Amino acid sequence: MGRRLVAALGGVALALSLVACSGEGAGSGGDTAEKKPGDLTIGVSMPTQTSERWIADGNAVKEKLTAKGYQVDLQYAGDDIPTQAQQIDQMITRGADVLVVAAIDGTALSGQLQAAAEAKIPVISYDRLILNTPNVDFYVSFDNYKVGVAQATALLVGLGLQTKDGAKGAATGPFNIELFAGSLDDNNTQYFFKGAMDTLKPFLDAGTLKVKSGQTRIEQAAILRWQQETAQKRMEDLLTSAYNDGSTVQGVLSPYDGLSRGIITALQNAGYGTGSKKMPVVTGQDAEVASVKLINDGVQGSTVFKDTRLLAEQAVRAAEAFLQEKTPEANDTTTYDNKVKVVPSYLLPIETVYKEDITKVLVDSGYLTAEEVAAGQAKK
Ligand code: GAL
């Protein structure tokens, strides 16, 4: 009898502590569980429309939420930090019940997220982790460290130093390579670069790979706001400063397809890809259609495919859980520390795409059509 009472009291204590937990941070979003989907609004804040992937992300999240009957307030910030802050402020004043945010600068939204917390609006960080605030409740992304590993591995495979199954390749080098990184205000940038550098390190240490420019630090390799033009300019500068002695570059680590296109333009303008000057092995990320065409044409070496349909699905699941005053399902509760707390995350798998994988991975799955790949342009 006594034991049962203790067990029952333990249960009550557990239930109370769970209630207390769910009341933490941004909280439960008010009485959303009782409302009809049509009375609930999800604010979706995306960074930019200049990159095709964020358009796909925004559309996918909106379509999936609308199909479930929710109202969606989707905004793009034109890669301008004050614009994103203002759009989120507006979403809060217009009464959003959940926010889904892909931040331009992961450290710049603390004020907005404080206001969201005060209004009990749960916040889901979309693909890029929002830093330095307790007011981010969930994170949906991919395994970003593995993206960097995959990019470096694709570089090694392209150069023939490694085979796809991880065995030693036939090539011996040494090869000249150059390194690019993403925007330093994007938390993912560090993960991509670290994953890549950990993978390249043994080859750099052995002298099989040489960064001829000597620019190996992330601050030197970074491209602010992931701008294609900035990457093109940096590649041009590298070619004129480090390759003016008749030497050539054989590989370029690029963390994103948009940057890869800028890099490829600089290389082509310098005569690579024609005559004896072979196009270097260039990596990428996002399977943007213009780059998939370049891979298909044998110009870009590879990309890392992150299925934005699945990411959108996870964001929608998390948003629905919050609206039903439940805790979204996480599959990683240790990795993503935003400097104030470890944010519970749902991380999705990634896939490297070489030319021979385009049909199976991208076309057969319905992500792109064969016509779009051939044209290098999305239909819509
Ligand atoms: C990152 C994202 C990449 C790429 C890049 C540039 O945050 O993880 O997939 O899209 O931004 O947009």
Side-chain angles (χ1 to χ4, degrees):
M1 196 53 184
R3 217 194 281 159
R4 236 190 265 160
L5 183 64
V6 171
L9 285 174
V12 170
L14 179 67
L16 285 174
S17 69
L18 284 177
V19 168
C21 278
S22 71
E24 251 176 39
S28 58
D31 303 325
T32 52
E34 274 99 66
K35 290 189 187 162
K36 289 196 285 320
D39 299 329
L40 295 167
T41 304
I42 294 92
V44 182
S45 171
M46 289 282 149
T48 176
Q49 274 172 307
T50 55
S51 153
E52 174 198 302
R53 77 146 286 188
W54 297 114
I55 301 175
D57 284 274
N59 287 343
V61 174
K62 185 169 180 175
E63 273 162 27
K64 286 178 202 295
L65 286 169
T66 311
K68 286 174 179 282
Y70 296 108
Q71 304 286 330
V72 179
D73 184 358
L74 169 64
Q75 304 284 340
Y76 286 90
D79 255 341
D80 183 54
I81 300 166
T83 304
Q84 184 163 46
Q86 204 179 41
Q87 288 174 339
I88 295 174
D89 279 337
Q90 272 169 8
M91 289 174 186
I92 297 169
T93 28
R94 285 200 290 250
D97 296 286
V98 171
L99 292 175
V100 175
V101 180
I104 298 164
D105 179 333
T107 62
L109 295 172
S110 300
Q112 282 63 39
L113 299 198
Q114 184 56 37
E118 280 157 20
K120 294 213 175 321
I121 305 170
V123 174
I124 299 164
S125 202
Y126 188 93
D127 200 39
R128 299 171 171 176
L129 185 61
I130 302 171
L131 304 175
N132 301 341
T133 167
N135 305 314
V136 46
D137 300 279
F138 201 71
Y139 180 41
V140 291
S141 190
F142 296 83
D143 190 324
N144 293 303
Y145 179 85
K146 275 200 193 139
V147 170
V149 172
Q151 288 165 342
T153 304
L155 182 61
L156 296 173
V157 170
L159 290 169
L161 289 169
Q162 201 167 293
T163 64
K164 276 191 188 176
D165 49 22
K168 199 173 177 316
T172 50
F175 295 114
N176 292 326
I177 63 165
E178 294 299 335
L179 309 171
F180 281 72
S183 195
L184 285 176
D185 52 11
D186 180 343
N187 187 53
N188 290 347
T189 293
Q190 305 286 342
Y191 284 84
F192 300 152
F193 201 69
K194 172 117 179 53
M197 290 309 271
D198 287 351
T199 311
L200 297 179
K201 190 169 186 303
F203 297 86
L204 292 165
D205 288 350
T208 318
L209 294 179
K210 288 195 164 96
V211 180
K212 190 146 188 286
S213 67
Q215 300 191 12
T216 54
R217 283 187 297 110
I218 193 167
E219 294 77 16
Q220 296 172 307
I223 300 294
L224 184 65
R225 297 284 116 75
W226 302 91
Q227 289 291 310
Q228 177 168 338
E229 303 72 29
T230 315
Q232 179 178 336
K233 173 83 176 55
R234 176 162 183 263
M235 191 70 230
E236 284 164 1
D237 291 347
L238 290 172
L239 289 174
T240 42
S241 60
Y243 297 88
N244 54 7
D245 56 0
S247 61
T248 54
V249 56
Q250 281 94 43
V252 183
L253 176 83
S254 166
Y256 160 57
D257 284 344
L259 303 190
S260 314
R261 293 196 296 276
I263 292 162
I264 287 169
T265 304
L267 289 162
Q268 286 172 331
N269 290 346
Y272 282 88
T274 45
S276 61
K277 251 179 159 184
K278 250 182 89 188
M279 181 56 81
V281 179
V282 181
T283 63
Q285 173 172 212
D286 285 351
E288 293 204 331
V289 68
S291 295
V292 176
K293 177 178 165 44
L294 290 174
I295 296 171
N296 205 30
D297 293 346
V299 179
Q300 184 171 320
S302 61
T303 189
V304 175
F305 174 48
K306 308 198 301 190
D307 195 332
T308 50
R309 297 168 299 187
L310 300 182
L311 186 60
E313 185 65 48
Q314 283 309 323
V316 169
R317 277 196 195 172
E320 255 199 324
F322 281 125
L323 291 172
Q324 292 165 2
E325 292 172 35
K326 294 182 189 146
T327 306
E329 186 201 338
N331 64 2
D332 185 313
T333 51
T334 55
T335 309
Y336 284 95
D337 187 335
N338 82 344
K339 301 196 172 103
V340 175
K341 68 180 200 185
V342 177
V343 183
S345 312
Y346 197 99
L347 305 180
L348 290 157
I350 53 141
E351 198 162 359
T352 305
V353 175
Y354 300 94
K355 180 175 178 168
E356 57 273 25
D357 307 310
I358 293 175
T359 305
K360 194 174 121 247
V361 179
L362 300 175
V363 177
D364 291 353
S365 72
Y367 195 76
L368 296 173
T369 65
E371 294 71 38
E372 286 173 323
V373 173
Q377 236 181 348
K379 259 205 209 101
K380 299 190 262 187

